[in-house]
Amino acid sequence: MLRSVEQRLVTGSDEDPRVAELRTAVSRLRRELAAHPAEFPDRGIAEDELAALDAMASGGRPEVPRLRRSLLLVAGAIGSVSALSGALTQVRGAVDLFGGTPPARN
């Protein structure tokens, strides 16, 4: 597979920088969620989907529809926890790198 110089990380790695960003964002949110003291009903869903996102990122080139589905589930599960909003926004930004926002429906 050919890659342009711009798609390579500055370190010279062959890892897609979008995948690296996704891995970093998911790792941050997982850490912050683990450290968050409050229990809430959908915490398990968020943890499971973050693990799925991490597995997709570790696998190389994740499927965009699956990324978006996992992001939606995570956002629904922890969206009301304001302490996690910054990390969640970072995950959303990383997912958007794989294809931008989906087109609006009429």
Side-chain angles (χ1 to χ4, degrees):
M1 172 156 101
L2 295 175
R3 291 191 178 141
S4 69
V5 174
E6 293 81 28
Q7 287 180 313
R8 293 179 190 221
L9 290 173
V10 175
T11 61
S13 169
D14 282 339
E15 183 178 32
D16 184 331
R18 299 172 304 169
V19 172
E21 180 66 25
L22 179 61
R23 293 179 76 189
T24 299
V26 168
S27 177
R28 174 185 170 197
L29 184 52
R30 288 179 89 182
R31 281 191 316 272
E32 289 186 19
L33 179 59
H36 192 69
E39 285 299 320
F40 46 93
D42 295 332
R43 186 181 191 122
I45 293 169
E47 290 169 344
D48 289 348
E49 288 305 315
L50 286 169
L53 281 167
D54 185 53
M56 284 185 270
S58 296
R61 192 149 189 187
E63 295 177 27
V64 175
R66 180 68 177 106
L67 285 176
R68 292 200 178 285
R69 179 183 176 276
S70 288
L71 174 62
L72 182 62
L73 289 169
V74 171
I78 66 172
S80 64
V81 182
S82 62
L84 301 174
S85 66
L88 179 58
T89 298
Q90 185 181 5
V91 172
R92 179 180 180 203
V95 169
D96 284 348
L97 293 174
F98 286 88
T101 56
R105 293 185 186 195
N106 293 334

